[in-house]
């Protein structure tokens, strides 16, 4: 594996940028994370093809990062390459009831556009941060609704073979999983929405936003729910029940607003967040016999994790 050689082979060859040692704290909503050995912004499928080809030849591990809103990046950074999707993946269009968007578009922009065109089906996603590609990859949603249910088709790029179009029902949508990351890099998707009543769409969005503002620590850096809700239970309720709401480790804290959110109160390290997570898992296991499963994704290596 040679990161230097990969950098030299890619530098100047892409429409997007290539960097060495880019700090992941600049690319995660937590504002946490050390340097990525290589960072490549792909502006097009052509860029993506070249980057994945070079990385495969140089035997460098890589991951695609959206807005980093569901990620905990290691303080030691990531030894491989981080790929982000640029320009050509940031387009979207709406024709009748079909919304087609690149994976790099922010979910918020799509929610607003659907609303503006009087389309219903995406209201649940109001206030959900991140990119469209990220939302699809993890089947983002609430307890009642998730993005996979409105997907007509997803186009993925499979390194070495090219673009493949998958129909919505062929995809293994689960609770915060989709099976998509194993199938390729999500580059675009089409959503089948329906014409709705503007007043109803607006009130449903406003109600969701009000609920989020009341129950989630939106003003502090966070990565959303840290743990998945165990079946029939609520991770937030369990963490509060074992007395950890408000507990701190270094700069990280179980939010006073919602115990399943760990916030960065300033200068938190990934190790601080992990310390709190391990604490919650231990106490909830001891006191309730329930195993809390992380919802956030780990990037890089974590001692003991
Ligand atoms: N609760 C507590 N203490 C807390 C927090 C919550 O007792 O500190 C209780 C609440 O009173 C409520 C229950 O736990 O009875 C559930 O809480 P809430 O309604 O806030 O929703 P949640 O189940 O914790 C889920 C998603 C969120 C999504 C919200 C709103 C998961 C793990 N979380 O949260 O998704 O925003 O519903 O729809 O599925 C995310 O995935 O990152 C995320 C934020």
């Amino acid at each position: 594996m040679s990161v230097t050689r990969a950098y030299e082979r890619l530098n100047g060859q892409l429409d997007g940028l290539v960097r060495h040692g880019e700090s992941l704290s600049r690319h995660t909503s937590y504002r946490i994370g050390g340097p990525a050995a290589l960072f490549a912004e792909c502006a097009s499928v052509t860029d993506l093809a070249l980057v994945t080809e070079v990385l495969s030849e140089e035997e460098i591990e890589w991951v695609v990062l959206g807005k980093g809103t569901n990620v905990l990046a290691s303080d030691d950074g990531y030894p491989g390459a981080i790929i982000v999707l640029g320009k050509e993946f940031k387009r979207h269009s709406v024709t009748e009831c079909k919304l087609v968007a690149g994976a790099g578009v922010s979910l918020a922009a799509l929610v607003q556009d659907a609303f503006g065109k009087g389309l219903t089906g995406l209201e649940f996603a109001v206030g959900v941060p991140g990119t469209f590609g990220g939302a699809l990859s993890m089947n983002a949603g609430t307890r009642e609704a998730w993005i996979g249910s409105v997907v007509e088709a997803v186009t993925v790029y499979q390194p070495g073979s090219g673009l493949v179009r998958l129909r919505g029902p062929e995809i293994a949508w689960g609770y915060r999983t989709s099976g998509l990351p194993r199938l390729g890099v999500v580059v675009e998707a089409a959503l089948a929405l329906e014409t709705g009543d503007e007043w109803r769409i607006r009130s449903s969005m406003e109600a969701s936003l009000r609920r989020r503002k009341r129950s989630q620590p939106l003003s502090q850096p966070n990565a959303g729910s840290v743990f998945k809700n165990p079946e029939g239970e609520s991770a937030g309720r369990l963490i509060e029940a074992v007395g950890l709401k408000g507990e701190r480790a270094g700069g990280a804290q179980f939010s006073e607003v919602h115990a399943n959110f760990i916030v960065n109160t300033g200068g938190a390290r990934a190790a601080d967040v992990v310390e709190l997570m391990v604490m919650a898992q231990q106490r909830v296991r001891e006191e309730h016999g329930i195993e809390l499963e992380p919802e956030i994704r780990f990037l890089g290596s974590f001692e003991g994790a």
Side-chain angles (χ1 to χ4, degrees), residues 5 13 23 30 32 45 59 72 81 98 100-101 114 131 136 159-160 168 170 181 188 216 238 245 265 267 275 286:
R5 207 163 46 220
Q13 302 301 310
S23 175
Y30 256 143
I32 291 176
V45 173
E59 297 180 347
L72 181 63
K98 187 148 122 181
V100 177
T131 60
L136 291 162
E170 284 175 75
E188 185 183 276
Q216 300 183 359
L238 289 167
K245 195 167 184 168
T265 63
E275 190 179 328
E286 280 162 19

Side-chain angles (χ1 to χ4, degrees), residues 143 175 211-212 216 225 229 234 240 245 258-259 295:
R143 275 179 187 254
Y175 172 47
R211 184 165 165 257
R212 255 181 232 285
Q216 300 183 359
S225 296
N229 282 327
S234 154
E240 179 167 355
K245 195 167 184 168
H258 194 303
E295 175 177 321

Side-chain angles (χ1 to χ4, degrees), residues 64-150:
V64 179
L65 193 65
K67 284 183 189 280
T69 53
N70 193 45
V71 170
L72 181 63
S74 165
D75 298 314
D76 297 332
Y78 183 65
I82 299 290
I83 296 178
V84 298
L85 302 177
K87 209 167 55 195
E88 285 185 16
F89 301 100
K90 292 185 189 289
R91 298 179 179 157
H92 72 281
S93 62
V94 179
T95 318
E96 291 176 4
C97 289
K98 187 148 122 181
L99 190 160
V100 177
V105 179
S106 79
L107 191 57
L110 300 183
V111 172
Q112 284 311 318
D113 204 23
F115 168 58
K117 303 250 164 43
L119 296 175
T120 180
L122 266 189
E123 296 87 323
F124 72 90
V126 68
V128 175
T131 60
F132 187 39
L136 291 162
S137 299
M138 62 170 291
N139 194 14
T142 63
R143 275 179 187 254
E144 299 85 22
W146 49 91
I147 193 126
S149 62
V150 287

Side-chain angles (χ1 to χ4, degrees), residues 161-174:
S161 27
L163 297 172
V164 176
R165 185 180 154 94
L166 307 157
R167 289 187 320 106
E170 284 175 75
I171 299 164
W173 306 108

